[in-house]
Amino acid sequence: MKSLIMGNEAVACGALKAGMTFFAAYPITPASEIMHELAGREPEIAFVHAEDEIASIHMAIGASLAGRKAMTSTSGPGMSLKQEGIGLAHMMEVPLVVVNVQRVGPSTGMPTLPAQGDILQAAHGSHGDYVPIVLYPSSVEECYRYTIEAFNAAEESRSPVILLLDGYIAHLQETVDLDAVAIDPPIPRTLAPLGQGRRHFTGLLARDGVPRTKDTAYYREWYARVKAKMLEAAAHYRFFDYQKNPASDTLIIAYGITHRVVRPLRGSYSLFKPVRMFPVLEDEIRAAAAEHDKIVVVEMNDGQYRGEVQKVLRREVLGVNPLGGTISLKEIRERLREL
Amino acid sequence: MNYKDYINWEKMPTTWCPGCAIGTIFKQTTFALAEMALAAEDMTVVSGIGCSGRAAGYFNADSVHVTHGRAIPVAEGIKRANPKLKVIVFSGDGDLVGIGGNHLLHAARRDVDLAVICVNNGIYGMTGGQMAPTTPTGEKTLTSPHGTAYAPLNIQGIVTSNRRHWFARASTFHIVHLQKVIREAVEHPGFAFVEVMGFCIENSGRRLGFKSGHEMLTKLKSDYKLKAGPDGLLGDHELGVVKNDGQSG
C-alpha cells in the first residue's frame, strides 16, 4: 500500500526488512526520526537509547559479535565521535550499518540545515588505512532499498558500512509503496555469534586472535587481504544512475539531494548519480566522463567529491559548490552557465 | 572443572610484569569460574585498553578486546543481544572509570547484567605511569610531578548512588575474599562492580619506594581490612560487598 513516508522512516523500515534486530543510538537532529521509528519495537528488536554516540556504536559492535544484525544512526557531530568504533569494527571485521544524516558543520554548525560535508570523513574519518563501503540514497524509496543493501554489504564484507543521507533526503516525504520496492534478498549472518568457545576479537593487529603488534610484514599481508576482501565485496554493490544527454558536452555528477535538485536539468546536461560513493565507481565514472568534454561535480560542500573524481579521471573537473544550508536550482543553473 | 581449563595456554606467558596485580586477579577469576563450572560456550570476556585489557585474550573463551574505555558498552551490546551469555568485563581503572566513566555511570544506572572486574592500581601503567582518576592525593606520577592535587574518584559512591546496586571492594592480598566476590559478581543478576585494589610495580610501585611485589602485598595487607558488619558503605580501607536489591533501604 502506498503511504507518505519520510527518508529517515524508510531507513528504519529498510533495516527491519534487512533483518536488523539490534539498534542503539543517541538523539541528534536531523537523524532522530530513525530512533523514533524503532523505539518501542521490543522484543522484536533490542533498542537502546544510549548515553552517548560512542556507547551506541560500541553497543552495536557488541550486539553484532553476539549474533544480531545491528545499526546505529547519527549526524555529523555524532559521526565524529563514532569514528573510533568504526575503526574498531574494521579491525575486528564486524558487520554493522552506520547511518550519518549530514548537517552543516564543523562542530555544532547549523543543526537543522542539511549539507554534504561529511563525504571525505566517511572514507577517511577513523585513523589508519581502511577501505570502507559508503552508500548514498537520493529518494525515500532509495533510503529503503539501500539500507537493505548496506546490511547486505556489511555482511558480505564483514565491515561497518556507512549509509550517508543529508537532512533533506532524511526529511523528504514521498509517497511510496515499500512492499512493492524491488530489493535484493537480505543476506544471512556471516559471523558465528559469541559463545563458540575460543575466538579472540581485538582492535590490535592480530593473527588468529594472537596480537602481532611489531610485525610490519604481517601488517602488510593483513592489509592486502582486508583491502582485497573489501573491494571484492564492494564489486557487488556498484549502484549508480547515468542519464546521457547526447546533445550535451557536459556531465554533471551529483548525489543525494543535489542529484534531486539538478535532475530537472537533464534536458540540457548529462547526469551521473553515484550511489556507491566509496570505493569510488572508477570504471563507471571514467566511461561516462569519456563521452563529455566538461565534467562538473555539484555538491553541498567545498569540492570534496570533486577531488575524488579528479583523482580518478586525472583531468580537470569543475565544481559547483553551494555549500551547506539552503539550495536552489536557479542558483546552480546560473553557476553552471558561468562555467 | 579446573581453573586451568579457563586459561588460553597458547598465549602464556602473559605480558604482565612479575609482581603485577593483574595476574593474581586473573587467576582468582579463573578459580571462581571453575567453582561455578561455567562452560566456555556460555561466557564472554570483554576488556578495554591497558595492561588489564590484555586479560580478555588470556581466557579460554570467546573474548573481545576493544577500544579504550569501551568495554562496558560493547559488553552491554553483547548482553542485550544474547542474554544467556555470562558477560564479564575485565579492565583497569583508567579504562573503566577514566576514559570510560560515562559508560560506567549509565550501565550501572540501567542495571545491565554484567560482572565488571576493575583492576585498580591507581595509575596508567602501560603508558608509563601517569596520574589516574584513582591516584591517591599527593602521589607523584609522570603527569603530577608535584603530587596529585585531587582526591581519587569514589567508585563506590558512583555505583551505589543507584537504588539497586551491587559493589564490592577486594584486594590482591586477600585472595580468598577476592575469589568469593568475583563469583558473587558473576552470579548477581544485574550490574555488579568489583574494585580490586592492587599495585603496578614497574611504572608506579618502584617510584613509590616498593622494592618488590611482596612489599606491595604487605602494604595491602596492612592497609585494607575486611569489613566486619554487613551494613552501610565501605570505609576507604575496608573490603567487602555493598548491595541493595532496590526493594529495601
Side-chain angles (χ1 to χ4, degrees):
Chain A
M1 195 187 73
K2 281 198 170 188
S3 57
L4 190 63
I5 178 167
M6 184 192 285
N8 275 340
E9 291 166 355
V11 168
C13 295
L16 294 171
K17 183 74 179 173
M20 178 200 72
T21 52
F22 185 92
F23 178 83
Y26 184 83
I28 187 166
T29 302
S32 296
E33 292 84 4
I34 300 174
M35 267 187 105
H36 304 165
E37 189 64 23
L38 293 169
R41 288 195 184 250
E42 298 201 86
E44 183 194 349
I45 67 166
F47 173 92
V48 188
H49 171 153
E51 61 270 25
D52 60 38
E53 301 280 3
I54 302 174
S56 58
I57 187 165
H58 284 84
M59 286 175 187
I61 289 170
S64 181
L65 283 169
R68 293 184 182 226
K69 288 191 180 180
M71 182 170 89
T72 182
S73 63
T74 187
S75 180
M79 198 62 176
S80 296
L81 291 168
K82 288 192 196 297
Q83 295 301 330
E84 77 171 73
I86 289 171
L88 179 67
H90 272 284
M91 200 67 181
M92 298 200 305
E93 301 187 48
V94 180
L96 192 69
V97 173
V98 182
V99 184
N100 176 9
V101 183
Q102 298 165 93
R103 65 190 223 189
V104 182
S107 190
T108 316
M110 299 201 282
T112 60
L113 294 189
Q116 298 181 313
D118 307 346
I119 305 300
L120 291 181
Q121 184 203 43
H124 305 291
S126 200
H127 57 279
D129 277 306
Y130 61 100
V131 183
I133 296 174
V134 181
L135 304 181
Y136 197 152
S138 62
S139 70
V140 171
E141 184 181 318
E142 283 192 3
C143 284
Y144 179 73
R145 182 178 162 208
Y146 292 120
T147 300
I148 297 167
E149 296 292 357
F151 274 95
N152 285 350
E155 287 301 330
E156 208 175 328
S157 64
R158 285 205 195 171
S159 77
V161 169
I162 293 174
L163 186 74
L164 280 179
L165 270 65
D166 47 69
Y168 281 124
I169 292 296
H171 287 163
L172 186 68
Q173 305 219 14
E174 294 185 292
T175 311
V176 190
D177 181 359
L178 293 183
D179 296 328
V181 177
I183 55 160
D184 290 330
I187 292 180
R189 298 281 3 233
T190 53
L191 179 67
L194 289 172
Q196 305 300 310
R198 201 186 189 175
R199 293 168 305 163
H200 184 52
F201 298 89
T202 171
L204 290 171
L205 178 72
R207 171 177 249 158
D208 300 327
V210 181
R212 297 287 284 267
T213 57
K214 297 187 195 305
D215 188 343
T216 307
Y218 175 65
Y219 170 66
R220 289 174 180 160
E221 182 190 325
W222 170 84
Y223 185 75
R225 174 185 68 77
V226 171
K227 185 174 180 178
K229 172 198 78 167
M230 291 304 304
L231 294 177
E232 198 184 318
H236 302 144
Y237 301 87
R238 313 182 77 90
F239 305 121
F240 66 98
D241 182 54
Y242 175 38
Q243 295 178 37
K244 190 182 173 185
N245 180 339
S248 174
D249 65 347
T250 302
L251 174 70
I252 295 177
I253 298 177
Y255 48 83
I257 187 61
T258 321
H259 167 79
R260 296 296 293 272
V261 173
V262 301
R263 210 168 52 172
L265 302 179
R266 60 187 178 275
S268 321
Y269 300 95
S270 295
L271 300 182
F272 186 96
K273 175 188 74 175
V275 173
R276 194 188 84 190
M277 299 292 286
F278 294 99
V280 177
L281 292 161
E282 298 186 0
D283 297 344
E284 292 78 359
I285 290 177
R286 272 197 208 104
E291 300 179 300
H292 298 86
D293 296 332
K294 255 196 243 176
I295 314 296
V296 187
V297 179
V298 183
E299 51 189 340
M300 293 177 74
N301 60 52
D302 196 13
Q304 295 190 18
Y305 210 59
R306 173 166 37 119
E308 296 299 308
V309 173
Q310 209 153 252
K311 233 174 6 186
V312 169
L313 298 180
R314 296 184 193 171
R315 62 187 256 206
E316 194 191 10
V317 174
L318 302 168
V320 170
N321 303 97
L323 300 180
T326 51
I327 182 170
S328 83
L329 176 61
K330 185 166 170 280
E331 184 194 345
I332 290 171
R333 189 191 282 135
E334 277 164 18
R335 291 223 231 149
L336 280 167
R337 283 188 189 137
E338 288 164 13
L339 290 174
Chain B
M1 298 287 269
N2 187 289
Y3 80 93
K4 290 178 180 171
D5 299 331
Y6 293 91
I7 298 172
N8 185 340
W9 292 96
E10 285 169 23
K11 289 189 182 171
M12 296 296 114
T14 68
T15 65
W16 303 321
C17 310
C20 169
I22 309 169
T24 307
I25 303 166
F26 174 72
K27 193 170 176 184
Q28 295 312 119
T29 305
T30 62
F31 279 142
L33 294 172
E35 222 176 65
M36 287 179 273
L38 199 57
E41 289 73 22
D42 295 332
M43 62 179 277
T44 289
V45 187
V46 186
S47 288
I49 294 297
C51 295
S52 308
R54 291 299 185 95
Y58 297 143
F59 283 95
N60 198 16
D62 274 358
S63 59
V64 196
H65 174 213
V66 304
T67 40
H68 200 9
R70 317 303 169 211
I72 286 178
V74 170
E76 183 167 351
I78 293 169
K79 187 68 191 182
R80 295 241 187 184
N82 183 358
K84 286 180 191 150
L85 280 179
K86 283 280 186 197
V87 185
I88 298 165
V89 172
F90 192 114
S91 214
D93 51 327
D95 188 77
L96 292 167
V97 310
I99 190 167
N102 196 31
H103 311 310
L104 168 60
L105 276 182
H106 291 274
R109 176 177 68 89
R110 288 190 288 261
D111 200 25
V112 188
D113 186 5
L114 303 175
V116 182
I117 299 166
C118 174
V119 178
N120 184 357
N121 56 13
I123 198 84
Y124 282 87
M126 184 176 258
T127 45
Q130 296 86 355
M131 175 178 69
T134 44
T135 302
T137 312
E139 196 171 295
K140 290 179 181 175
T141 72
L142 292 181
T143 51
S144 60
H146 308 298
T148 312
Y150 323 114
L153 197 110
N154 178 1
I155 308 174
Q156 173 183 227
I158 287 175
V159 175
T160 60
S161 67
N162 298 290
R163 187 171 166 80
R164 183 176 144 85
H165 59 254
W166 195 103
F167 173 86
R169 189 185 294 126
S171 102
T172 52
F173 175 80
H174 305 79
I175 54 172
V176 176
H177 175 254
L178 171 59
Q179 181 183 330
K180 182 171 160 272
V181 295
I182 289 174
R183 177 177 179 169
E184 271 183 53
V186 175
E187 288 176 339
H188 173 71
F191 190 81
F193 193 99
V194 184
E195 176 187 25
V196 191
M197 311 309 293
F199 282 101
C200 160
I201 181 161
E202 296 301 336
N203 283 329
S204 166
R206 291 196 195 284
R207 287 182 200 133
L208 297 174
F210 294 107
K211 292 189 173 55
S212 66
H214 180 262
E215 273 190 17
M216 299 191 302
L217 284 175
T218 310
K219 174 77 173 155
L220 288 170
K221 181 187 177 188
S222 64
D223 276 4
Y224 288 94
K225 298 287 177 249
L226 291 169
K227 186 178 165 74
D231 302 322
L233 294 176
L234 300 169
D236 286 350
H237 291 96
E238 283 181 326
L239 308 178
V241 176
V242 183
K243 57 186 170 183
N244 189 318
D245 60 10
Q247 309 300 315
S248 51

